Amino acid sequence: MVWTNRSPHTPCAGGRHTKCADYYGVRTQQVTSSEVISTFSRYVIGNYTRYPVCLTRGEGSYVWDTEGNRYLDLFPGWGCGLLGHCPERVVKAVQDQVARLIHVPNTWYTESQGALAKALSERTTFDGRAFFCNSGTEANEAAIKLARLNGQGTGANGADRYKIVTMLNSFHGRTMGSLSATAQPKYHQGVGPMLPGFQYAPFGDLDAVSKLIDSQTIALMVEPIQGEGGVNLPPNGYLEGLRELCDRYKLLLILDEVQTGMGRTGKWYTHQHWNVKPDIITLAKAVAGGVALGGLLARPEVAEKLKPGTHAATFGGNPLACAAALATIETIEADNLLERAIRIGRTFSNHFEALKSKCPHIREVRAKGAMIGVQLAVDGTPVVTECLKRKLLVNCTHQTVIRLLPALNITDEQIAEGCSVLEEALLSLK
Ligand SMILES: *Cc1c(COP(=O)(O)O)cnc(C)c1O
């Protein structure tokens, strides 16, 4: 039986709809990618550019489509698949948890939320206190509100400080607050006006930041390594310089670690590569090994302004997501994946550096652990297409940067396989 041809039944007001149980029940015949795609074109809003492939199953760095084709995934879950697809401990933790308690509101205590907050905090150097939500943009919304709450009555003559300086080419999310913090005009198009109080400085330019600070500024907000903006590493002294500005003007330093956090670059939190202590960090993407979870960690004196009534998230810190996150941390530690991240970065960098002489389109290779960007002199979209033809999944960001966020448990053989396909694709560029 084919899902789209199920015999309809008619229990709801005037409608004929297919039985959902047939979808998650046992199927006798697989649907094809094209059937799924036609369902999408009829029922799903077209706000994403999708590849014409329907994925059904994943294991580690491999993923399969409905036709049974296998792909090597160097960008699992858009950075959420830190441990690849369906990591064993996460699967087990979710299976155990889902049968006991899926969700209860934050009017109750749950063991896993407390344990996760403790685990995340113990890995900070600033005694972080946690708030949990479900996504990166929500984590940044919480940080923006927390900064503003901390700015109440702290300006000249007891005025509120509310302005936040963020960086050009940043990405902080799609909801109106985080979007206003995101300094990329293409994301603002058609949905203005933005939230007042955000000012933008070029990434890496301390003078520009310091010129924007005034008596109403409460915080500086930055990704320690810009992700969507093209895997841009901070220049020497930059993060430390931002900390000094914060100390001088009594501002909060908010680090958006949504993409860089959780061991991605070889430290639990990427800012730990530098000598800098933030006031707030935000997390999401990889935190729960692919399950939706976001959150922030803030210094206790800052965190205490988030009092009952000031902020909330219904699903935030639910037992299922927290169990998945705890299993993720356990896996990273048990399998030594922080060290592994550094090795992965070196292997890919060496490969692309060596390729430079053969491929004039490669301008620069930027990497920190398992966060790798290959800056091209030309549009990178054809590289992604060529890779897909060869069953390799990679990403192109900021037009000209091939971005890889491989799983930390990717094998050496898989890295070699990925590099050789990418080499072919890069050499095929005109
Ligand atoms: C992906 C990302 C976000 C937004 O996360 P969502 O879960 O999509 O809302 C925010 N900040 C950074 C640095 C990101 O990479």
Side-chain angles (χ1 to χ4, degrees):
M1 284 274 276
V2 168
W3 165 237
T4 44
N5 295 340
R6 299 272 182 214
S7 55
H9 70 144
T10 53
C12 73
R16 282 151 53 92
H17 62 77
T18 356
K19 292 181 202 161
C20 293
D22 290 341
Y23 172 69
Y24 59 75
V26 178
R27 263 205 210 98
T28 50
Q29 191 190 317
Q30 271 293 5
V31 295
T32 63
S33 287
S34 68
E35 282 165 340
V36 173
I37 292 165
S38 75
T39 304
F40 267 66
S41 57
R42 170 68 178 83
Y43 294 107
V44 180
I45 293 177
N47 62 311
Y48 297 100
T49 311
R50 297 178 194 265
Y51 301 106
V53 174
C54 174
L55 299 175
T56 49
R57 183 170 74 82
E59 195 183 314
S61 289
Y62 288 123
V63 67
W64 286 263
D65 67 16
T66 44
E67 281 71 31
N69 296 303
R70 190 184 78 176
Y71 302 79
L72 177 63
D73 194 352
L74 296 186
F75 198 65
W78 206 277
C80 303
L82 185 76
L83 306 176
H85 295 279
C86 301
E88 212 176 300
R89 285 189 188 81
V90 174
V91 169
K92 181 81 176 48
V94 168
Q95 282 173 341
D96 286 352
Q97 185 61 52
V98 78
R100 275 188 292 139
L101 192 63
I102 297 177
H103 174 64
V104 290
N106 279 299
T107 43
W108 309 101
Y109 293 94
T110 54
E111 192 184 337
S112 57
Q113 188 178 134
L116 177 60
K118 179 168 186 261
L120 291 173
S121 175
E122 283 172 351
R123 286 158 181 80
T124 66
T125 51
F126 57 93
D127 192 23
R129 303 291 154 93
F131 163 80
F132 294 108
C133 50
N134 313 285
S135 67
T137 200
E138 266 185 279
N140 288 325
E141 291 291 336
I144 292 164
K145 284 178 71 175
L146 182 54
R148 287 186 169 193
L149 286 165
N150 273 273
Q152 288 277 299
T154 64
N157 304 318
D160 299 336
R161 292 188 295 155
Y162 66 97
K163 289 183 185 169
I164 300 178
V165 178
T166 71
M167 309 310 155
L168 294 179
N169 286 329
S170 55
F171 186 82
H172 298 297
R174 302 284 196 157
T175 54
M176 289 312 296
S178 301
L179 184 63
S180 303
T182 295
Q184 294 199 60
K186 66 175 177 181
Y187 294 118
H188 295 180
Q189 254 168 39
V191 294
M194 292 296 116
L195 194 69
F198 290 91
Q199 290 166 300
Y200 314 128
F203 183 72
D205 186 342
L206 288 171
D207 283 343
V209 173
S210 109
K211 286 197 182 103
L212 289 174
I213 296 170
D214 64 27
S215 63
Q216 295 175 311
T217 309
I218 183 60
L220 310 180
M221 182 170 180
V222 65
E223 298 154 81
I225 298 173
Q226 288 189 325
E228 308 298 315
V231 188
N232 304 318
L233 300 178
N236 282 338
Y238 179 59
L239 296 175
E240 294 87 340
L242 292 177
R243 178 72 262 174
E244 279 168 29
L245 287 173
C246 285
D247 292 342
R248 192 179 323 150
Y249 296 105
K250 296 198 164 29
L251 313 177
L252 301 177
L253 181 60
I254 305 171
L255 297 183
D256 178 346
E257 293 246 21
V258 167
Q259 191 163 143
T260 57
M262 209 61 178
R264 166 64 62 199
T265 69
K267 301 266 189 195
W268 284 107
Y269 309 109
T270 285
H271 70 267
Q272 293 169 339
H273 286 289
W274 294 278
N275 185 21
V276 59
K277 280 191 190 182
D279 300 291
I280 303 173
I281 64 172
T282 57
L283 299 169
K285 291 208 164 83
V287 169
V291 175
L293 176 73
L296 66 71
L297 292 161
R299 277 199 301 119
E301 310 84 271
V302 174
E304 70 183 16
K305 295 290 188 308
L306 223 49
K307 293 189 190 331
T310 55
H311 197 54
T314 302
F315 274 125
N318 65 79
L320 208 55
C322 290
L326 286 162
T328 302
I329 295 173
E330 192 192 326
T331 305
I332 293 169
E333 244 151 33
D335 298 348
N336 264 325
L337 295 181
L338 294 182
E339 270 169 49
R340 179 71 188 151
I342 309 248
R343 275 280 308 278
I344 290 169
R346 276 206 202 109
T347 311
F348 276 108
S349 299
N350 290 343
H351 186 87
F352 294 122
E353 288 291 353
L355 195 58
K356 262 183 177 173
S357 58
K358 273 203 273 176
C359 180
H361 296 307
I362 300 179
R363 273 226 177 120
E364 191 184 29
V365 183
R366 298 187 288 266
K368 195 91 185 162
M371 187 169 182
I372 300 132
V374 181
Q375 175 70 60
L376 303 178
V378 292
D379 180 19
T381 325
V383 177
V384 179
T385 314
E386 286 304 312
C387 285
L388 183 60
K389 279 188 204 156
R390 294 164 173 84
K391 309 270 182 284
L392 177 72
L393 309 185
V394 300
N395 171 258
C396 172
T397 192
H398 222 246
Q399 284 285 306
T400 53
V401 181
I402 300 303
R403 178 173 47 159
L404 311 178
L405 296 171
L408 301 190
N409 51 16
I410 189 171
T411 65
D412 288 338
E413 293 72 27
Q414 288 167 334
I415 295 177
E417 181 190 339
C419 282
S420 89
V421 174
L422 257 164
E423 176 166 341
E424 261 180 62
L426 284 163
L427 291 175
S428 78
L429 276 180
K430 293 286 166 322

